Amino acid sequence: MTPELAIDLLKNLMWQATLIAGPILLTGMVIGLTISLFQTVTSIQEQTLTFVPKALAISALLAVIMPWILREMIDYTTALFQVMPQMAR
């Protein structure tokens, strides 16, 4: 395996991880920021108020984008299997 191939594989791995985790993390961040602003404005400091909406929003998001995530992972795995003969050289 050449260094260029190894770098390309790692670059693609990092890109796929960012692409898949990005929407989930962004949703959690936006919901967390919104709830924090709401708590600051209303002076409500209930801990479950931050957890429950995030959990529900992320669960709903995962239910919606799971087919896309699986398709991306299958495409990446297929590309890895196609590159494996070059790795053996």
Side-chain angles (χ1 to χ4, degrees):
M1 179 178 349
T2 64
E4 292 83 18
L5 181 61
I7 290 171
D8 190 45
L9 288 173
L10 285 174
K11 184 180 75 169
N12 288 339
L13 174 70
M14 292 298 185
W15 174 249
Q16 286 297 323
T18 304
L19 190 66
I20 289 172
I24 299 164
L25 293 173
L26 189 63
T27 300
M29 185 180 70
V30 168
I31 297 295
L33 180 65
T34 305
I35 296 299
S36 294
L37 285 172
F38 174 75
Q39 283 182 327
T40 301
V41 169
T42 60
S43 298
I44 298 173
Q45 296 302 321
E46 180 64 32
Q47 294 300 318
T48 57
L49 188 60
T50 60
F51 177 75
V52 173
K54 272 191 217 178
L56 291 175
I58 290 174
S59 297
L61 178 71
L62 281 174
V64 170
I65 68 170
M66 188 57 72
W68 173 77
I69 289 173
L70 289 174
R71 195 172 333 109
E72 287 292 321
M73 292 175 72
I74 289 170
D75 290 345
Y76 180 73
T77 305
T78 303
L80 275 181
F81 281 132
Q82 291 173 352
V83 174
M84 277 188 187
Q86 293 176 354
M87 288 184 207
R89 290 185 206 163

